[in-house]
Amino acid sequence: MKRTLFCGLLAAAVLAVPSQAVRNVPVHVNGSAITGSSYLESGVTYVPLRYLLDALGGWTISWDSRQKAAVAVSSSTKLTATPSTDTIQIDGKTLRGSVTVENGRTYVPLRMVTEALGHEVEWDPYLGGASVTTSNAAYDAEDLYWLSRIINAESGGESMKGQIAVGNVVLNRVKSKEFPNTIPGVIFDRKHAVQFEPVENGTIYRTPSSKSVEAAMRVLDGENTVGDALYFYAPALSEGVWINANRVYHMTIGCHRFYL
């Protein structure tokens, strides 16, 4: 699901906030971390050009010793990043932003380059870094990233039906007025205490299995195995006192009981 206009404006504002010091930050493209270190300086995220383009796919990049510039070519686009002039040329259009070479790697401003190439970039406050969604991506990168992780953390050992059910609860909450209106907002919701145990114990940050990623994709595609359920718990791990006293039981899938 694509970000709302408000979230887009919020992301832009966060990316523009001045930083007091340089710090390393993660950068993901379509939910996968790019290789190499990226950093935030004065509110701008800088990434190694080669690793960014490798993650976007379809690019060949080299260093032109005569021009003293990094030159990248795709099937239809040419990009030249020149440190001496702090310019990035894309098909003849010149963009101005800091271009540096550090330890043999050419660093460029993430937002400037990705948006010029027609992709979307958002600041993910839960990731503490930037999330890029390519123009041909089937899913919003931030949504897929966090949904696959909560599914994996809550139900990684369950059947596909059970994993989809957990993802359904998250999306049902997004649609409900009782909860935040974004996937990461629901997952990290603390209005009435932490809602999901993996957020508390840190397992939300584990890399999801391919099965959990598939489950997240199927949920985002509209597949539903648990109807309108908004709550669940595993009786083997919790007594579910509040849920049993306040919500209506709906069904059981695998190790989880689901409630409306």
Side-chain angles (χ1 to χ4, degrees):
M1 119 189 6
K2 294 294 182 182
R3 303 287 94 193
T4 63
L5 176 60
F6 172 78
C7 291
L9 292 173
L10 176 60
V14 172
L15 281 173
V17 172
S19 173
Q20 297 301 315
V22 175
R23 63 182 175 89
N24 291 336
V25 294
V27 174
H28 289 191
V29 174
N30 292 337
S32 297
I34 71 169
T35 308
S37 60
S38 303
Y39 63 91
L40 182 71
E41 182 177 16
S42 298
V44 179
T45 302
Y46 294 91
V47 294
L49 179 62
R50 178 182 295 277
Y51 295 142
L52 171 63
L53 296 182
D54 284 347
L56 294 177
W59 288 86
T60 299
I61 183 170
S62 60
W63 179 260
D64 188 319
S65 57
R66 183 180 62 83
Q67 296 185 62
K68 295 183 178 179
V71 179
V73 179
S74 71
S75 59
S76 59
T77 304
K78 181 178 180 180
L79 182 156
T80 303
T82 308
S84 62
T85 58
D86 281 333
T87 58
I88 300 168
Q89 281 196 326
I90 300 178
D91 288 341
K93 180 181 179 180
T94 300
L95 307 173
R96 298 194 176 278
S98 179
V99 180
T100 61
V101 177
E102 301 174 28
N103 299 320
R105 296 174 182 169
T106 303
Y107 282 78
V108 297
L110 173 65
R111 178 178 290 280
M112 178 181 293
V113 173
T114 53
E115 290 188 346
L117 294 176
H119 309 302
E120 296 180 5
V121 59
E122 300 173 272
W123 183 261
D124 184 340
Y126 307 103
L127 174 67
S131 179
V132 176
T133 303
T134 60
S135 58
N136 60 349
Y139 311 97
D140 179 272
E142 191 178 0
D143 285 348
L144 179 60
Y145 182 87
W146 290 117
L147 187 61
S148 61
R149 277 159 176 75
I150 194 63
I151 288 174
N152 184 75
E154 286 281 10
S155 58
E158 295 290 300
S159 66
M160 179 60 72
K161 181 179 180 181
Q163 293 197 39
I164 289 173
V166 167
N168 291 152
V169 168
V170 174
L171 256 65
N172 288 344
R173 289 190 174 197
V174 171
K175 298 172 185 176
S176 170
K177 294 181 180 179
E178 299 178 46
F179 301 95
N181 62 358
T182 68
I183 287 174
V186 163
I187 293 170
F188 290 92
D189 182 20
R190 292 175 179 267
K191 183 177 180 180
H192 302 292
V194 174
Q195 296 293 300
F196 296 93
E197 183 63 24
V199 172
E200 185 72 23
N201 62 30
T203 54
I204 183 67
Y205 300 103
R206 292 178 180 174
T207 301
S209 68
S210 58
K211 184 176 180 181
S212 293
V213 173
E214 179 188 347
M217 290 179 176
R218 289 169 69 168
V219 170
L220 291 171
D221 283 337
E223 191 168 341
N224 187 304
T225 62
V226 78
D228 296 327
L230 291 171
Y231 296 84
F232 66 86
Y233 77 95
L237 302 175
S238 170
E239 295 181 0
V241 175
W242 183 88
I243 293 179
N244 281 301
N246 294 277
R247 310 303 299 194
V248 177
Y249 171 74
H250 180 53
M251 64 189 301
T252 296
I253 301 177
C255 295
H256 289 108
R257 289 169 59 89
F258 292 85
Y259 292 73
L260 302 175

